[in-house]
Amino acid sequence: SPIYRGHRPASDASAVAMGRRAGGVIPGKTVTTEFAFMQPARTRNPHNREHAPGGSSSGSAAAVGAGMLPIALGTQTGGSTVRPAAFCGVAGFKPSYKIVPTVGVKCFSWSLDTVGFFAAGIADVAFAATAITGRDLRVDRATPAAPRIALVRTSAWDEASPVMQAAIEGAARAAAAAGATVVDAELPPAVVEADAAHGVIGPYEAYRALAFEYDRHRDQLGATLREQLDLGASISADAYDSARRTATRARRAFATLMAADADVILTPSAAGAAPHGFKSTGTPTFNRLWTLLGAPCLNVPGLMDANGLPLGVQIVGRFGRDHAALEAAAFVEQAIARR
């Protein structure tokens, strides 16, 4: 943002400092979109520089996709880790909400912001998350067990491109052939209703988190972000509190569903491959609900469309069961590679 041109923070964010403690070498900071929202930045897609890399963690995903870095950090408030990972053909891991501290990260929405990881494959993001969080999340020590997978198309299934729909169906067949139990599943109404709550909670909190920038430097904000903050200004506290209650009910219903029917969900990481041009970072249609639920989410790489652009399939786990989600994602990744 031009508001902070020349600004250099005096300290690292906690996630970066934890990376240093673990022996990580931090060579620099990659490009993000403006305040981690949806205004495209300078980064291009390493698979085809005429296509977008996604956002908001555009530079992180592209740097790993280009082979510049083995590991990168990013954030997700809607779909800002999983979607750029899908577009750039790398593994992306958004852990369960609050597993990684957001201290030192510029806040957009305190109920949604989550630090995520990028790497070439699932075992690599698991290794990075283990090193930085101190939790044993590694999945490279043994062959992952065959999971129970619920194929969830969601109400937005028709918004996925035909090639993305085919990719999900193909990933499900590959997982089943490798020994996974795959069943079709529909989300309970309480979970479906929560999708709209993300569009209330995010703008409401962003208008307050970015109060200084909006009140003092509104003319220096991009039009896309200004519109979002204007929307946040129009949302009442009652509407916000109602959306939070909706989200709480959805989290309970989702936990019940996962405990009874599946270890993980298989669903698109994005509506399709990376869009041509630089007018958009893509849509979070297939990401925002899972972020709202606080669930661990992973983009599983390995598929391509006819033009050589990556297609990502998404594994969503139960809140707090990050190792199980990583193990299932590794299983699907290996199944896709064998097929």
Side-chain angles (χ1 to χ4, degrees):
S1 169
I3 298 170
Y4 291 98
R5 185 174 287 120
H7 174 69
R8 188 181 182 94
S11 61
D12 291 330
S14 291
V16 177
M18 290 161 68
R20 290 187 192 277
R21 282 180 177 177
V25 176
I26 313 296
K29 185 183 182 302
T30 54
V31 174
T32 184
T33 59
E34 181 190 27
F35 294 110
F37 193 56
M38 299 182 71
Q39 182 66 41
R42 304 186 300 276
T43 309
R44 297 184 176 214
N45 193 304
H47 292 268
N48 186 324
R49 288 183 290 171
E50 297 305 313
H51 287 255
S56 63
S57 304
S58 50
S60 298
V64 173
M68 296 167 61
L69 297 167
I71 295 167
L73 294 172
T75 60
Q76 178 157 312
T77 304
S80 294
T81 294
V82 170
R83 192 172 69 257
F87 287 171
C88 294
V90 302
F93 174 37
K94 183 207 78 69
S96 292
Y97 179 63
K98 288 188 176 180
I99 291 264
V100 185
T102 57
V103 177
V105 176
K106 180 65 174 172
C107 179
F108 190 89
S109 170
W110 55 86
S111 295
L112 302 170
D113 294 349
T114 309
V115 174
F117 303 88
F118 298 87
I122 299 299
D124 302 310
V125 290
F127 178 87
T130 296
I132 288 179
T133 67
R135 299 168 182 267
D136 187 3
L137 300 173
R138 288 178 62 175
V139 295
D140 58 341
R141 297 189 182 100
T143 302
R148 297 178 304 154
I149 299 174
L151 174 54
V152 174
R153 293 173 175 83
T154 78
S155 58
W157 181 248
D158 289 343
E159 296 182 38
S161 68
V163 70
M164 175 54 74
Q165 293 180 4
I168 293 294
E169 303 283 359
R173 288 193 297 272
T181 301
V182 181
V183 297
D184 286 287
E186 295 199 6
L187 298 173
V191 175
V192 175
E193 292 167 6
D195 190 51
H198 187 285
V200 175
I201 293 170
Y204 180 93
E205 293 185 352
Y207 173 67
R208 286 150 181 84
L210 299 176
F212 167 77
E213 292 81 6
Y214 186 85
D215 292 350
R216 300 290 186 89
H217 302 281
R218 187 177 182 278
D219 59 334
Q220 292 182 277
L221 297 173
T224 303
L225 180 56
R226 279 203 310 270
E227 290 174 7
Q228 180 77 351
L229 299 182
D230 289 344
L231 172 62
S234 70
I235 296 172
S236 69
D238 286 344
Y240 170 69
D241 289 342
S242 176
R244 291 178 63 203
R245 288 191 291 271
T246 297
T248 299
R249 289 193 296 270
R251 290 173 189 135
R252 292 171 182 158
F254 183 66
T256 300
L257 169 72
M258 296 295 284
D261 296 336
D263 299 315
V264 295
I265 281 172
L266 173 65
T267 197
S269 288
H276 183 269
F278 306 100
K279 294 182 179 180
S280 169
T281 62
T283 170
T285 303
F286 292 98
N287 313 120
R288 62 193 175 215
L289 173 61
W290 316 119
T291 305
L292 179 74
L293 296 176
C297 307
L298 293 115
N299 178 65
V300 179
L303 296 171
M304 294 275 185
D305 70 3
N307 298 315
L309 288 171
L311 293 169
V313 300
Q314 183 174 196
I315 290 293
V316 180
R318 186 177 174 184
F319 175 78
R321 304 292 178 86
D322 292 56
H323 186 266
L326 284 158
E327 192 171 51
F331 181 94
V332 173
E333 181 184 45
Q334 292 172 19
I336 288 172
R338 283 195 295 270
R339 294 279 281 190

